[in-house]
mmCIF file of all heavy atoms in Angstrom:
data_model
loop_
_atom_site.group_PDB
_atom_site.id
_atom_site.type_symbol
_atom_site.label_atom_id
_atom_site.label_comp_id
_atom_site.label_asym_id
_atom_site.label_seq_id
_atom_site.Cartn_x
_atom_site.Cartn_y
_atom_site.Cartn_z
ATOM 1 N N TRP A 1 45.837 6.027 -37.089
ATOM 2 C CA TRP A 1 47.197 5.995 -36.502
ATOM 3 C C TRP A 1 48.023 7.271 -36.687
ATOM 4 O O TRP A 1 48.692 7.682 -35.661
ATOM 5 C CB TRP A 1 48.003 4.815 -37.066
ATOM 6 C CG TRP A 1 47.659 3.403 -36.551
ATOM 7 C CD1 TRP A 1 46.951 2.483 -37.252
ATOM 8 C CD2 TRP A 1 47.864 2.968 -35.269
ATOM 9 N NE1 TRP A 1 46.834 1.335 -36.421
ATOM 10 C CE2 TRP A 1 47.381 1.666 -35.230
ATOM 11 C CE3 TRP A 1 48.421 3.439 -34.082
ATOM 12 C CZ2 TRP A 1 47.432 0.801 -34.077
ATOM 13 C CZ3 TRP A 1 48.655 2.680 -33.006
ATOM 14 C CH2 TRP A 1 48.139 1.365 -33.038
ATOM 15 N N THR A 2 48.018 7.793 -37.864
ATOM 16 C CA THR A 2 48.973 8.907 -38.119
ATOM 17 C C THR A 2 48.430 10.290 -37.670
ATOM 18 O O THR A 2 49.219 11.082 -37.081
ATOM 19 C CB THR A 2 49.274 8.974 -39.617
ATOM 20 O OG1 THR A 2 48.138 9.048 -40.410
ATOM 21 C CG2 THR A 2 50.061 7.731 -40.005
ATOM 22 N N THR A 3 47.094 10.510 -37.876
ATOM 23 C CA THR A 3 46.628 11.886 -37.639
ATOM 24 C C THR A 3 45.945 11.969 -36.346
ATOM 25 O O THR A 3 45.730 13.039 -35.718
ATOM 26 C CB THR A 3 45.590 12.311 -38.635
ATOM 27 O OG1 THR A 3 44.503 11.380 -38.677
ATOM 28 C CG2 THR A 3 46.155 12.241 -40.129
ATOM 29 N N GLY A 4 45.516 10.814 -35.731
ATOM 30 C CA GLY A 4 44.705 10.917 -34.482
ATOM 31 C C GLY A 4 43.352 11.236 -34.574
ATOM 32 O O GLY A 4 42.572 11.380 -33.596
ATOM 33 N N LEU A 5 42.777 11.335 -35.866
ATOM 34 C CA LEU A 5 41.426 11.615 -36.068
ATOM 35 C C LEU A 5 40.579 10.507 -35.388
ATOM 36 O O LEU A 5 40.822 9.378 -35.586
ATOM 37 C CB LEU A 5 41.217 11.639 -37.687
ATOM 38 C CG LEU A 5 39.688 11.848 -38.075
ATOM 39 C CD1 LEU A 5 39.287 13.284 -37.739
ATOM 40 C CD2 LEU A 5 39.585 11.525 -39.563
ATOM 41 N N THR A 6 39.520 10.989 -34.774
ATOM 42 C CA THR A 6 38.614 10.001 -33.985
ATOM 43 C C THR A 6 37.224 10.142 -34.529
ATOM 44 O O THR A 6 36.751 11.106 -35.032
ATOM 45 C CB THR A 6 38.682 10.317 -32.555
ATOM 46 O OG1 THR A 6 38.289 11.554 -32.161
ATOM 47 C CG2 THR A 6 40.020 10.048 -31.895
ATOM 48 N N GLN A 7 36.442 9.128 -34.200
ATOM 49 C CA GLN A 7 34.998 9.034 -34.568
ATOM 50 C C GLN A 7 34.333 8.218 -33.445
ATOM 51 O O GLN A 7 34.873 7.207 -32.963
ATOM 52 C CB GLN A 7 34.768 8.359 -35.930
ATOM 53 C CG GLN A 7 33.339 8.525 -36.357
ATOM 54 C CD GLN A 7 32.907 9.914 -36.754
ATOM 55 O OE1 GLN A 7 32.130 10.558 -36.065
ATOM 56 N NE2 GLN A 7 33.514 10.467 -37.733
ATOM 57 N N TYR A 8 33.168 8.648 -32.987
ATOM 58 C CA TYR A 8 32.423 7.938 -31.965
ATOM 59 C C TYR A 8 30.858 7.760 -32.302
ATOM 60 O O TYR A 8 30.388 8.500 -33.002
ATOM 61 C CB TYR A 8 32.398 8.789 -30.680
ATOM 62 C CG TYR A 8 33.810 8.925 -30.039
ATOM 63 C CD1 TYR A 8 34.591 10.021 -30.357
ATOM 64 C CD2 TYR A 8 34.333 7.932 -29.124
ATOM 65 C CE1 TYR A 8 35.866 10.224 -29.755
ATOM 66 C CE2 TYR A 8 35.492 8.185 -28.520
ATOM 67 C CZ TYR A 8 36.251 9.226 -28.859
ATOM 68 O OH TYR A 8 37.512 9.390 -28.320
ATOM 69 N N ALA A 9 30.432 6.610 -31.918
ATOM 70 C CA ALA A 9 29.016 6.440 -31.960
ATOM 71 C C ALA A 9 28.289 7.431 -31.087
ATOM 72 O O ALA A 9 28.813 7.721 -29.931
ATOM 73 C CB ALA A 9 28.620 5.018 -31.650
ATOM 74 N N ASP A 10 27.063 7.844 -31.375
ATOM 75 C CA ASP A 10 26.284 8.727 -30.615
ATOM 76 C C ASP A 10 26.118 8.227 -29.154
ATOM 77 O O ASP A 10 26.050 9.019 -28.205
ATOM 78 C CB ASP A 10 25.033 9.140 -31.187
ATOM 79 C CG ASP A 10 25.238 10.088 -32.435
ATOM 80 O OD1 ASP A 10 26.261 10.691 -32.569
ATOM 81 O OD2 ASP A 10 24.223 10.172 -33.211
ATOM 82 N N SER A 11 25.900 7.023 -29.066
ATOM 83 C CA SER A 11 25.482 6.341 -27.763
ATOM 84 C C SER A 11 26.687 6.351 -26.735
ATOM 85 O O SER A 11 26.439 6.185 -25.498
ATOM 86 C CB SER A 11 25.152 4.846 -27.992
ATOM 87 O OG SER A 11 26.103 4.125 -28.519
ATOM 88 N N VAL A 12 27.901 6.578 -27.194
ATOM 89 C CA VAL A 12 29.018 6.653 -26.233
ATOM 90 C C VAL A 12 29.713 7.904 -26.189
ATOM 91 O O VAL A 12 30.600 8.118 -25.370
ATOM 92 C CB VAL A 12 30.075 5.489 -26.559
ATOM 93 C CG1 VAL A 12 29.352 4.089 -26.647
ATOM 94 C CG2 VAL A 12 30.730 5.774 -27.831
ATOM 95 N N LYS A 13 29.341 8.932 -27.064
ATOM 96 C CA LYS A 13 30.044 10.254 -27.135
ATOM 97 C C LYS A 13 29.861 10.892 -25.812
ATOM 98 O O LYS A 13 28.829 10.971 -25.184
ATOM 99 C CB LYS A 13 29.396 11.019 -28.206
ATOM 100 C CG LYS A 13 30.263 12.138 -28.786
ATOM 101 C CD LYS A 13 29.582 12.777 -30.047
ATOM 102 C CE LYS A 13 29.520 11.791 -31.149
ATOM 103 N NZ LYS A 13 28.888 12.323 -32.374
ATOM 104 N N GLY A 14 31.047 11.380 -25.257
ATOM 105 C CA GLY A 14 31.053 12.007 -23.937
ATOM 106 C C GLY A 14 31.424 11.100 -22.841
ATOM 107 O O GLY A 14 31.701 11.572 -21.760
ATOM 108 N N ARG A 15 31.264 9.801 -23.128
ATOM 109 C CA ARG A 15 31.567 8.779 -21.970
ATOM 110 C C ARG A 15 32.858 7.934 -22.362
ATOM 111 O O ARG A 15 33.579 7.556 -21.398
ATOM 112 C CB ARG A 15 30.394 7.816 -21.883
ATOM 113 C CG ARG A 15 29.136 8.529 -21.392
ATOM 114 C CD ARG A 15 28.070 7.518 -20.997
ATOM 115 N NE ARG A 15 27.608 6.704 -22.094
ATOM 116 C CZ ARG A 15 27.655 5.340 -22.127
ATOM 117 N NH1 ARG A 15 28.119 4.689 -21.115
ATOM 118 N NH2 ARG A 15 27.238 4.713 -23.152
ATOM 119 N N PHE A 16 32.924 7.679 -23.576
ATOM 120 C CA PHE A 16 34.147 6.847 -23.951
ATOM 121 C C PHE A 16 35.188 7.585 -24.691
ATOM 122 O O PHE A 16 34.904 8.600 -25.407
ATOM 123 C CB PHE A 16 33.673 5.689 -24.981
ATOM 124 C CG PHE A 16 32.851 4.587 -24.414
ATOM 125 C CD1 PHE A 16 32.293 4.715 -23.076
ATOM 126 C CD2 PHE A 16 32.486 3.537 -25.118
ATOM 127 C CE1 PHE A 16 31.452 3.736 -22.537
ATOM 128 C CE2 PHE A 16 31.617 2.482 -24.567
ATOM 129 C CZ PHE A 16 31.180 2.555 -23.246
ATOM 130 N N THR A 17 36.396 7.181 -24.647
ATOM 131 C CA THR A 17 37.545 7.839 -25.332
ATOM 132 C C THR A 17 38.435 6.846 -25.865
ATOM 133 O O THR A 17 38.953 5.969 -25.157
ATOM 134 C CB THR A 17 38.416 8.805 -24.287
ATOM 135 O OG1 THR A 17 37.498 9.748 -23.686
ATOM 136 C CG2 THR A 17 39.429 9.531 -25.105
ATOM 137 N N ILE A 18 38.726 6.927 -27.217
ATOM 138 C CA ILE A 18 39.670 6.120 -27.804
ATOM 139 C C ILE A 18 40.995 6.873 -27.916
ATOM 140 O O ILE A 18 41.167 8.069 -28.226
ATOM 141 C CB ILE A 18 39.156 5.624 -29.187
ATOM 142 C CG1 ILE A 18 40.057 4.548 -29.788
ATOM 143 C CG2 ILE A 18 39.118 6.799 -30.165
ATOM 144 C CD1 ILE A 18 39.486 3.859 -30.984
ATOM 145 N N SER A 19 42.086 6.103 -27.710
ATOM 146 C CA SER A 19 43.437 6.623 -27.881
ATOM 147 C C SER A 19 44.406 5.636 -28.490
ATOM 148 O O SER A 19 44.044 4.345 -28.387
ATOM 149 C CB SER A 19 43.989 7.198 -26.485
ATOM 150 O OG SER A 19 44.067 6.144 -25.608
ATOM 151 N N ARG A 20 45.513 6.002 -28.939
ATOM 152 C CA ARG A 20 46.480 5.032 -29.499
ATOM 153 C C ARG A 20 47.875 5.415 -29.040
ATOM 154 O O ARG A 20 48.198 6.508 -28.862
ATOM 155 C CB ARG A 20 46.337 5.027 -30.989
ATOM 156 C CG ARG A 20 47.250 5.907 -31.947
ATOM 157 C CD ARG A 20 46.789 7.298 -31.828
ATOM 158 N NE ARG A 20 47.421 8.127 -32.929
ATOM 159 C CZ ARG A 20 47.495 9.461 -32.934
ATOM 160 N NH1 ARG A 20 47.042 10.101 -31.847
ATOM 161 N NH2 ARG A 20 48.128 10.074 -33.955
ATOM 162 N N ASP A 21 48.639 4.329 -28.892
ATOM 163 C CA ASP A 21 50.089 4.469 -28.526
ATOM 164 C C ASP A 21 50.907 3.909 -29.758
ATOM 165 O O ASP A 21 50.925 2.700 -29.931
ATOM 166 C CB ASP A 21 50.378 3.693 -27.160
ATOM 167 C CG ASP A 21 51.893 3.894 -26.829
ATOM 168 O OD1 ASP A 21 52.819 4.116 -27.768
ATOM 169 O OD2 ASP A 21 52.104 3.795 -25.622
ATOM 170 N N ASN A 22 51.451 4.844 -30.621
ATOM 171 C CA ASN A 22 52.006 4.311 -31.812
ATOM 172 C C ASN A 22 53.369 3.610 -31.592
ATOM 173 O O ASN A 22 53.683 2.690 -32.376
ATOM 174 C CB ASN A 22 52.351 5.565 -32.781
ATOM 175 C CG ASN A 22 51.096 6.323 -33.174
ATOM 176 O OD1 ASN A 22 50.461 7.006 -32.397
ATOM 177 N ND2 ASN A 22 50.739 6.052 -34.486
ATOM 178 N N ILE A 23 53.997 3.858 -30.486
ATOM 179 C CA ILE A 23 55.215 3.224 -30.132
ATOM 180 C C ILE A 23 55.003 1.720 -29.768
ATOM 181 O O ILE A 23 55.702 0.729 -30.190
ATOM 182 C CB ILE A 23 56.006 3.806 -29.024
ATOM 183 C CG1 ILE A 23 56.361 5.323 -29.387
ATOM 184 C CG2 ILE A 23 57.325 3.127 -28.786
ATOM 185 C CD1 ILE A 23 57.044 5.493 -30.629
ATOM 186 N N ARG A 24 53.898 1.530 -29.005
ATOM 187 C CA ARG A 24 53.580 0.163 -28.464
ATOM 188 C C ARG A 24 52.575 -0.552 -29.362
ATOM 189 O O ARG A 24 52.205 -1.672 -29.080
ATOM 190 C CB ARG A 24 53.088 0.203 -27.095
ATOM 191 C CG ARG A 24 54.178 0.716 -26.080
ATOM 192 C CD ARG A 24 53.567 0.958 -24.700
ATOM 193 N NE ARG A 24 54.581 1.219 -23.743
ATOM 194 C CZ ARG A 24 55.078 2.525 -23.561
ATOM 195 N NH1 ARG A 24 54.658 3.400 -24.271
ATOM 196 N NH2 ARG A 24 56.017 2.702 -22.657
ATOM 197 N N ASN A 25 52.046 0.111 -30.511
ATOM 198 C CA ASN A 25 51.116 -0.442 -31.325
ATOM 199 C C ASN A 25 49.926 -0.908 -30.591
ATOM 200 O O ASN A 25 49.400 -2.090 -30.779
ATOM 201 C CB ASN A 25 51.730 -1.601 -32.182
ATOM 202 C CG ASN A 25 52.484 -1.054 -33.343
ATOM 203 O OD1 ASN A 25 52.150 -0.256 -34.070
ATOM 204 N ND2 ASN A 25 53.718 -1.604 -33.481
ATOM 205 N N THR A 26 49.417 -0.059 -29.717
ATOM 206 C CA THR A 26 48.304 -0.461 -28.749
ATOM 207 C C THR A 26 47.250 0.649 -28.857
ATOM 208 O O THR A 26 47.597 1.835 -28.874
ATOM 209 C CB THR A 26 48.755 -0.722 -27.417
ATOM 210 O OG1 THR A 26 49.637 -1.741 -27.335
ATOM 211 C CG2 THR A 26 47.573 -1.037 -26.492
ATOM 212 N N VAL A 27 45.979 0.186 -28.844
ATOM 213 C CA VAL A 27 44.882 1.171 -28.887
ATOM 214 C C VAL A 27 44.017 0.853 -27.580
ATOM 215 O O VAL A 27 43.959 -0.259 -27.212
ATOM 216 C CB VAL A 27 43.991 0.984 -30.120
ATOM 217 C CG1 VAL A 27 42.702 1.775 -30.073
ATOM 218 C CG2 VAL A 27 44.778 1.456 -31.380
#
């Protein structure tokens, strides 16, 4: 939440993107 540090499984790297909206508490 605070740093935006991300991690991905190898199977989805380059295809999937995770993001977060801290104001709306939504990922």
Side-chain angles (χ1 to χ4, degrees):
W1 282 109
T2 55
T3 65
L5 177 71
T6 59
Q7 189 70 248
Y8 294 93
D10 289 341
S11 59
V12 306
K13 202 169 297 180
R15 297 189 297 124
F16 292 8
T17 302
I18 189 170
S19 61
R20 89 285 197 206
D21 185 331
N22 296 72
I23 303 302
R24 294 173 176 81
N25 282 312
T26 300
V27 172

